[in-house]
Amino acid sequence: MIFVLLVFVLGSLSEEADSFMNEYLFNGYSSQWSRGVYLSAGEPLSFLIYPGSNLEGVLCGLGGSAVYDLRLELQGGGMDIIDEQPDDLPVLQFVTGSGSVAYTVTVTAVEMLYGARADSAYIFFAMRPVLEDTENSVPVETDSEITGE
C-alpha cells in the first residue's frame, strides 16, 4: 500500500518536474538531468552530479506536497552555493569550468507541513553552452556622419 502511494506521489511530482524542464528546454537549456528522492525531515541527502564542461544553467529542487522548506546546496569546481530562502522550489544558478568536475548536491527537507516526517522531492538541472561575448569589430558611423550635420 505504501509503495503504491509513493509511486503515485512521485509520479505527479515527476510530471511537475518535467513541466519545469520543458520550460528550460524551450529556452535553450538542452542538457538536462533529474532524480527523484525520498527525504526524511531534517536529514540531508547527498549525491554526485556530472553536468559537463563549459556550461551554464540551474540546479533546482522541487519539494513534494508536505515539504515547506527544501534546502539545496551545490559544491564542486571551487564553488559552494546554498539556497538560503525558505521555499519548496530552490533554484541555484551556476557555471561549470573547462574541466569535467563532479559536483556534490546536498538536499534537506528542513521543514514539513501537516506533521509529516518524510516526503518525496525531485532534483534536476538544466544546462546550456556558455555563450561567449563577441565584440563588434565593425566601426559604427556617428549620427552626424549619416545625416550630414
Side-chain angles (χ1 to χ4, degrees), residues 71-125:
R71 183 173 187 256
L72 193 59
E73 181 176 0
L74 178 68
Q75 294 177 320
M79 70 176 119
D80 186 7
I81 306 170
I82 302 171
D83 175 63
E84 299 285 337
Q85 303 299 319
D87 60 12
D88 65 338
L89 183 60
V91 177
L92 303 177
Q93 293 183 333
F94 71 107
V95 177
T96 64
S98 59
S100 184
V101 176
Y103 295 86
T104 302
V105 175
T106 304
V107 59
T108 309
V110 177
E111 196 171 341
M112 307 285 264
L113 297 172
Y114 319 117
R117 305 281 302 145
D119 197 2
S120 56
Y122 249 81
I123 310 302
F124 65 93
F125 68 71

Side-chain angles (χ1 to χ4, degrees), residues 35-51:
R35 177 178 180 183
V37 296
Y38 194 70
L39 302 171
S40 296
E43 295 180 19
L45 174 69
S46 296
F47 53 89
L48 296 175
I49 61 171
Y50 303 90

Side-chain angles (χ1 to χ4, degrees), residues 9-149:
V9 170
L10 278 176
S12 61
L13 191 58
S14 71
E15 290 171 5
E16 193 173 350
D18 286 343
S19 171
F20 282 111
M21 290 174 66
N22 285 336
E23 284 291 322
Y24 281 109
L25 183 63
F26 179 76
N27 289 303
Y29 292 81
S30 57
S31 176
Q32 298 185 345
W33 169 91
S34 66
R35 177 178 180 183
V37 296
Y38 194 70
L39 302 171
S40 296
E43 295 180 19
L45 174 69
S46 296
F47 53 89
L48 296 175
I49 61 171
Y50 303 90
S53 58
N54 295 322
L55 299 171
E56 63 183 356
V58 294
L59 174 70
C60 304
L62 178 61
S65 60
V67 176
Y68 180 72
D69 184 8
L70 189 66
R71 183 173 187 256
L72 193 59
E73 181 176 0
L74 178 68
Q75 294 177 320
M79 70 176 119
D80 186 7
I81 306 170
I82 302 171
D83 175 63
E84 299 285 337
Q85 303 299 319
D87 60 12
D88 65 338
L89 183 60
V91 177
L92 303 177
Q93 293 183 333
F94 71 107
V95 177
T96 64
S98 59
S100 184
V101 176
Y103 295 86
T104 302
V105 175
T106 304
V107 59
T108 309
V110 177
E111 196 171 341
M112 307 285 264
L113 297 172
Y114 319 117
R117 305 281 302 145
D119 197 2
S120 56
Y122 249 81
I123 310 302
F124 65 93
F125 68 71
M127 307 296 289
R128 65 180 172 197
V130 173
L131 301 175
E132 295 183 24
D133 291 333
T134 57
E135 292 184 28
N136 188 357
S137 61
V138 178
V140 178
E141 296 177 1
T142 62
D143 286 342
S144 63
E145 293 174 0
I146 295 171
T147 59
E149 296 175 358

